């Protein structure tokens, strides 16, 4: 059984890491972009951000003044047990979020949508979001915190199957242009695309593609993997760079996740992880071991499973 105190302690450590330490995969991608960027203002922004990341790590301060909206992804091995149960787990994550908001500190961004009530701790109704996944084996729990910018770097459109790949590209470019021209997202970013599912699942797929996949990872479907490479190049061909200035590095990487959908439609969502790409991961074992990493390793074969063993029912012989 995994002690609840260990879960909360680990969660608070993760909140600190996500706010301060940029993941190595994204940092490598950003450094490569800085070496190839030739737009004056875009180059200036990339240089300033890389210097800021070093200063944040050295001073143990949040890397960005807008610390986003903390959220949690929890993955459990099938045999995992938590002291106090899952409600205790959620209470620990909410308390860790509140403590970290005061301790790191983080900006208390969460407010009631109507009354603008702010508890000054990033905790409220439905906040922080906690999403779950499961794996067939193991007694461990993975805690993943993501501090994503919470405003406008997201879009959705219901396409028709006849729109095809060209329609997907068109909406992808429309979204990137809007993100850059209107200042709706901070670039360069990891772009996540969700294809299929119902509207809510489509949005979830795109969000998870942007925040739960590392730079350089590729979808296990080779045809989708080719699309990811193509869309990365396409996104960097529109003449925009860092923060929407003239340049050629708007997309650090493009990740695509899919889900089966209604035969009459092709839902699509586009999500931009922010310029800071804040995420941190730890696996907790019943014996008290805690292993920290930056790769969420969310999209396993089990998460992408397509069908189930079954036999169609046959009419009884007359």
């Amino acid at each position: 059984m995994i002690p609840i105190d260990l879960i909360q302690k680990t969660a608070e450590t993760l909140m600190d890491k996500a706010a301060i330490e940029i993941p190595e995969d994204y940092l490598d991608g950003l450094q490569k972009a800085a070496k190839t960027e030739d737009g004056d203002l875009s180059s200036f922004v990339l240089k300033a951000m890389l210097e800021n990341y070093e200063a944040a790590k050295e001073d143990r301060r949040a890397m960005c003044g807008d610390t986003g909206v903390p959220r949690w992804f929890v993955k459990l091995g099938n045999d995992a047990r938590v002291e106090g149960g899952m409600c205790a787990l959620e209470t620990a994550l909410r308390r860790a979020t509140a403590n970290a908001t005061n301790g790191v500190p983080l900006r208390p961004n969460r407010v009631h949508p109507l009354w603008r009530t702010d508890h000054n701790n990033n905790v409220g109704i439905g906040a922080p979001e906690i999403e779950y996944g499961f794996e067939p084996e193991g007694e461990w729990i993975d805690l993943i915190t993501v501090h994503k910018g919470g405003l406008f770097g997201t879009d959705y459109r219901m396409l028709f199957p006849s729109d095809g790949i060209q329609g997907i590209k068109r909406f992808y470019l429309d979204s990137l242009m809007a993100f850059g021209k209107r200042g709706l997202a901070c670039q360069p970013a990891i772009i996540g695309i969700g294809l299929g599912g119902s509207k809510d699942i489509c949005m979830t797929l795109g969000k998870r593609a942007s925040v739960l996949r590392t730079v350089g990872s590729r979808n296990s479907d080779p045809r989708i993997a080719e699309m990811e490479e193509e869309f990365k190049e396409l996104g960097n061909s529109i003449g925009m760079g860092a923060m929407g200035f003239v340049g050629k590095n708007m997309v650090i990487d493009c990740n695509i996740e899919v889900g089966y959908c209604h035969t009459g439609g092709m839902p699509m969502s586009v999500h931009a992880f922010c310029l800071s790409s804040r995420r941190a991961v730890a696996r907790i074992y019943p014996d008290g071991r805690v292993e920290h990493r930056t790769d969420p390793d969310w999209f396993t074969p089990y998460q992408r499973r397509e069908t189930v063993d079954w036999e169609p029912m046959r009419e009884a012989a007359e």
Side-chain angles (χ1 to χ4, degrees), residues 85 92 101 175 187 196 218 223:
T101 299
S175 299
Q187 303 91 18
R218 285 293 168 258
R223 293 169 296 180

Side-chain angles (χ1 to χ4, degrees), residues 16-17 19-24 27 49-64 294:
D16 182 87
K17 283 180 170 292
I20 295 171
E21 301 174 14
I22 188 170
E24 285 297 323
L27 181 59
M49 291 307 300
L50 288 169
E51 291 174 351
N52 181 68
Y53 295 147
E54 287 300 317
K57 192 172 182 179
E58 182 177 343
D59 297 343
R60 302 309 299 173
R61 293 186 295 176
M63 66 180 74
C64 180
T294 57

Side-chain angles (χ1 to χ4, degrees), residues 95-130:
R95 187 174 291 119
T97 301
N99 289 345
T101 299
N102 179 258
V104 175
L106 307 176
R107 193 168 80 179
N109 282 328
R110 298 283 198 166
V111 301
H112 191 287
L114 296 175
W115 325 132
R116 315 313 286 179
T117 307
D118 183 353
H119 299 299
N120 291 315
N121 59 11
N122 280 310
V123 177
I125 301 171
E129 297 89 345
I130 304 174

Side-chain angles (χ1 to χ4, degrees), residues 61 78 83 86 90 113 156 182 184 188 219 228 236 247 313:
R61 293 186 295 176
N78 193 53
E83 179 188 3
M86 298 307 292
E90 294 200 338
Y156 169 86
R182 298 173 58 196
L184 303 182
N219 194 292
E228 291 175 332
N236 287 328
M313 294 180 64

Side-chain angles (χ1 to χ4, degrees), residues 1-3 6 81 138-142 282-291 293:
M1 183 175 295
I2 299 176
L6 179 59
R81 296 175 61 203
E139 298 179 307
W140 46 263
I141 291 179
D142 279 354
R283 176 165 292 185
I284 309 174
Y285 295 91
D287 62 6
R289 285 179 296 139
V290 179
E291 297 175 351
R293 63 183 198 270

Side-chain angles (χ1 to χ4, degrees), residues 135-195:
E135 292 292 330
E137 298 178 355
E139 298 179 307
W140 46 263
I141 291 179
D142 279 354
L143 298 182
I144 307 166
T145 188
V146 171
H147 301 178
K148 187 181 184 300
L151 290 176
F152 308 111
T154 294
D155 208 349
Y156 169 86
R157 185 176 294 175
M158 174 59 80
L159 302 177
F160 292 101
S162 58
D163 289 322
I165 300 298
Q166 291 304 312
I168 295 172
K169 290 180 179 178
R170 187 179 304 112
F171 179 46
Y172 171 64
L173 292 178
D174 286 349
S175 299
L176 293 189
M177 292 294 288
F179 293 168
K181 283 188 173 183
R182 298 173 58 196
L184 303 182
C186 297
Q187 303 91 18
I190 301 172
I191 302 297
I193 296 176
L195 293 172

